[in-house]
Amino acid sequence: MIKKFYSKSFSQIILLYSTTFIGVVLGVVVSVLNTHSLSPADYGDVRYINNFIAFFSGILLLGYFVSGSRLLAVAKSPKECAELKGAVITILCITVFVLVILMCICGLVHQLVLHKDYAYLFYWVLPVCSPAILLNYINTTSQGDNSISMIAAARVFPSLIYLLLAYFIYRKYGASVEKMLWLQNGISVVILIILIWKNSPSFSNLKKSLKILYKENKKYGLEVYYGSLANVSVQYVAGISLGLYASNNVNVGFYTLALTVTSPLAMLPNVIGTTYFKQFASQSTISRKIIVGTIGMSLLSLLGFILLIFPIVDILYDESYQSVAVYACFLAVGSMMQGLGDVFNRFLGAHGKGKPIRNVAWISGGIAIVGYILGVYVFGLYGAIATRIISSVSYFLAIFIYYRQFVRLS
């Protein structure tokens, strides 16, 4: 029985890591297609708008998704799971509605106050502005009921289908900022909604489920949410401030592209933490084998990345994007440390330790917000890169200290 249990966990890790890796590769290929289809300034406009979407999506969640994930992890029946999903989806719909309003306000500010010529894009993207929230729902709640296959599908199919359609559309009709925003975000919205619906939510006993969710969120989810504001959501500020302080969004494109190519380094430890989330809830510590193995593989991945990134960028991107390889070498350290910290974050989250997670996020997020506002203002793109590294290292060190405290007291 134990052998079967761990065999299932190992197969889920292989599934999620392989599909996550494929998804990251597809993401890089998407960036290749997009950068070859648009100028650096136009590509920066696309990323600038999507940074606002991601930033607002993180702000609006209020902790309900992570609360739902924990409730799903300890749910006693499939019926209870389905009803909890229905409650979280109700929160999801309300969140999307509020996001649309915020994007309208943002468009007005850029138009009337900042006088940016791309202000109309905030209105243009309104019908397809929800992919970040939908993906967050899947990534968060699916780890609670161990729906690893759903997470895997969400990380592959949107990019794959976009690539197949966009290549032929751009080749025949040409590309534009407007077309790219609608096509890429729209495909993601459709696919993610299908996946969410196929995961069998139930809206019976909705009032009761919402009350349970609210109670859990009050004691756990809100603490994690306060932390995510200072950690996850703040990370998008760099992609916003780089555009606000400059006459165009070229550096926004460079910075976000460098983050894209370094994202695989955070994926391996993140996958392990996500896969073992449900098991962590009944364990008093993370096994030494998992910790050592995760750190070892992450360091090897970092070394391989540094050796390969320059020829990869040289092959995949044109001359105007060659500096991305240099930026990526430094950002790779931050991505690896962020991923390693996520393993301990998942463990503490599975035990309902929202306050330590919140405190850690405040530490790293405080560093990030100062750096992304003042550092970017003074040093530009280099300030954003340095801030990302320092905040990620701080995140790892702080979450590990809280993990050690929990182990000693348990």
Side-chain angles (χ1 to χ4, degrees):
M1 183 69 181
I2 294 176
K3 183 177 180 181
K4 182 179 179 181
F5 179 75
Y6 282 103
S7 177
K8 179 183 177 182
S9 298
F10 181 74
S11 65
Q12 287 181 328
I13 290 176
I14 295 299
L15 170 66
L16 188 54
Y17 184 67
S18 60
T19 52
T20 300
F21 181 78
I22 292 170
V24 169
V25 171
L26 288 172
V28 172
V29 177
V30 165
S31 71
V32 172
L33 173 64
N34 291 348
T35 54
H36 279 277
S37 302
L38 298 176
S39 68
D42 287 340
Y43 176 71
D45 287 345
V46 172
R47 298 307 295 261
Y48 184 74
I49 298 298
N50 283 332
N51 276 329
F52 270 96
I53 292 174
F55 177 69
F56 287 140
S57 296
I59 287 178
L60 294 174
L61 294 178
L62 298 176
Y64 281 101
F65 289 2
V66 292
S67 294
S69 179
R70 173 161 166 76
L71 288 172
L72 287 168
V74 297
K76 295 180 173 59
S77 69
K79 181 176 181 293
E80 185 181 352
C81 279
E83 291 174 354
L84 285 168
K85 291 173 189 175
V88 181
I89 288 175
T90 301
I91 301 296
L92 170 66
C93 293
I94 296 171
T95 304
V96 171
F97 176 74
V98 178
L99 173 61
V100 170
I101 295 174
L102 284 176
M103 291 296 288
C104 288
I105 295 172
C106 215
L108 285 172
V109 171
H110 278 74
Q111 179 183 353
L112 302 177
V113 179
L114 300 176
H115 305 293
K116 298 290 187 179
D117 56 6
Y118 49 79
Y120 72 96
L121 293 174
F122 287 95
Y123 311 123
W124 177 261
V125 81
L126 289 178
V128 291
C129 67
S130 60
I133 292 179
L134 297 174
L135 184 59
N136 192 296
Y137 167 86
I138 292 175
N139 284 336
T140 307
T141 58
S142 294
Q143 70 181 359
D145 69 343
N146 208 230
S147 298
I148 301 302
S149 59
M150 184 175 174
I151 301 176
R155 293 182 179 180
V156 171
F157 287 117
S159 295
L160 179 61
I161 294 176
Y162 169 74
L163 276 173
L164 296 175
L165 290 177
Y167 175 77
F168 292 104
I169 290 174
Y170 296 161
R171 187 176 181 182
K172 186 172 182 179
Y173 302 104
S176 66
V177 174
E178 298 86 353
K179 194 179 297 181
M180 190 172 290
L181 283 170
W182 258 70
L183 192 60
Q184 189 168 6
N185 289 3
I187 288 172
S188 294
V189 168
V190 172
I191 293 174
L192 295 176
I193 288 176
I194 292 172
L195 290 174
I196 290 171
W197 194 253
K198 284 177 66 66
N199 201 229
S200 304
S202 171
F203 296 93
S204 60
N205 296 319
L206 182 59
K207 187 175 181 180
K208 177 184 176 182
S209 298
L210 284 171
K211 284 184 178 179
I212 294 172
L213 182 62
Y214 174 78
K215 184 178 179 180
E216 177 68 19
N217 195 60
K218 192 174 181 181
K219 70 176 183 179
Y220 168 62
L222 274 175
E223 299 292 348
V224 178
Y225 166 73
Y226 294 145
S228 70
L229 283 179
N231 186 23
V232 180
S233 299
V234 164
Q235 299 304 325
Y236 295 106
V237 172
I240 295 173
S241 61
L242 283 168
L244 289 176
Y245 293 149
S247 59
N248 58 48
N249 289 320
V250 171
N251 279 343
V252 176
F254 287 163
Y255 179 77
T256 52
L257 183 58
L259 282 180
T260 296
V261 297
T262 60
S263 59
L265 293 167
M267 291 301 178
L268 174 60
N270 188 285
V271 163
I272 292 174
T274 298
T275 304
Y276 279 98
F277 181 84
K278 194 174 183 71
Q279 298 173 37
F280 284 162
S282 59
Q283 296 174 351
S284 60
T285 185
I286 304 174
S287 74
R288 181 180 177 84
K289 184 177 180 181
I290 292 176
I291 293 176
V292 173
T294 303
I295 293 175
M297 287 186 288
S298 296
L299 289 173
L300 286 175
S301 298
L302 176 63
L303 177 61
F305 178 89
I306 293 173
L307 292 174
L308 295 174
I309 187 60
F310 283 93
I312 288 175
V313 169
D314 188 52
I315 293 170
L316 296 180
Y317 303 98
D318 61 40
E319 288 186 14
S320 59
Y321 291 94
Q322 292 305 301
S323 58
V324 168
V326 178
Y327 307 146
C329 283
F330 292 99
L331 288 171
V333 177
S335 292
M336 183 192 70
M337 299 303 291
Q338 191 77 24
L340 289 174
D342 284 344
V343 176
F344 302 101
N345 183 306
R346 296 292 189 278
F347 179 86
L348 293 175
H351 287 271
K353 299 299 179 181
K355 288 184 178 180
I357 295 174
R358 177 204 64 189
N359 294 343
V360 169
W362 281 355
I363 293 170
S364 61
I367 294 170
I369 196 68
V370 172
Y372 289 145
I373 294 177
L374 297 180
V376 170
Y377 180 78
V378 177
F379 300 106
L381 181 57
Y382 301 109
I385 293 171
T387 298
R388 170 70 176 181
I389 296 170
I390 296 170
S391 66
S392 296
V393 172
S394 301
Y395 168 74
F396 170 77
L397 293 175
I399 199 73
F400 182 73
I401 290 171
Y402 273 111
Y403 164 76
R404 292 298 301 167
Q405 289 179 349
F406 174 84
V407 171
R408 283 198 298 268
L409 296 174
S410 61

